[in-house]
């Protein structure tokens, strides 16, 4: 069975497309997780504002 150059190029192009797409999904998920962590830390470190009650 003979494998043509175009077939090899097509399969390698598809494989590279999958690798790049997977990398983009990975980086997006990491950025989303990091942003959530930073927002949570900001809320925890934010001083609470209590209303003073005057008697």
């Amino acid at each position: 069975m003979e494998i043509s150059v175009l077939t090899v190029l097509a399969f390698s192009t598809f494989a590279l497309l999958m690798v790049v797409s997977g990398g983009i999904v990975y980086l997006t998920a990491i950025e989303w997780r990091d942003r959530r962590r930073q927002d949570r830390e900001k809320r925890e470190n934010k001083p609470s504002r209590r209303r003073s009650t005057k008697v």
Side-chain angles (χ1 to χ4, degrees), residues 11-24:
F11 280 123
S12 61
T13 301
F14 183 73
L16 285 172
L17 179 64
M18 291 295 111
V19 169
V20 170
S21 297
I24 290 171

Side-chain angles (χ1 to χ4, degrees), residues 1-43:
M1 181 172 165
E2 185 178 323
I3 299 175
S4 71
V5 174
L6 291 177
T7 304
V8 172
L9 287 175
F11 280 123
S12 61
T13 301
F14 183 73
L16 285 172
L17 179 64
M18 291 295 111
V19 169
V20 170
S21 297
I24 290 171
V25 168
Y26 172 75
L27 291 174
T28 302
I30 294 298
E31 181 183 358
W32 174 75
R33 185 187 67 182
D34 193 38
R35 190 178 309 126
R36 283 185 58 202
R37 182 184 54 80
Q38 287 176 350
D39 289 344
R40 190 176 337 126
E41 287 177 356
K42 283 180 185 177
R43 278 187 265 126

Side-chain angles (χ1 to χ4, degrees), residues 50-55:
R50 294 185 179 183
R51 294 182 181 173
S52 61
T53 56
K54 296 182 179 179
V55 178

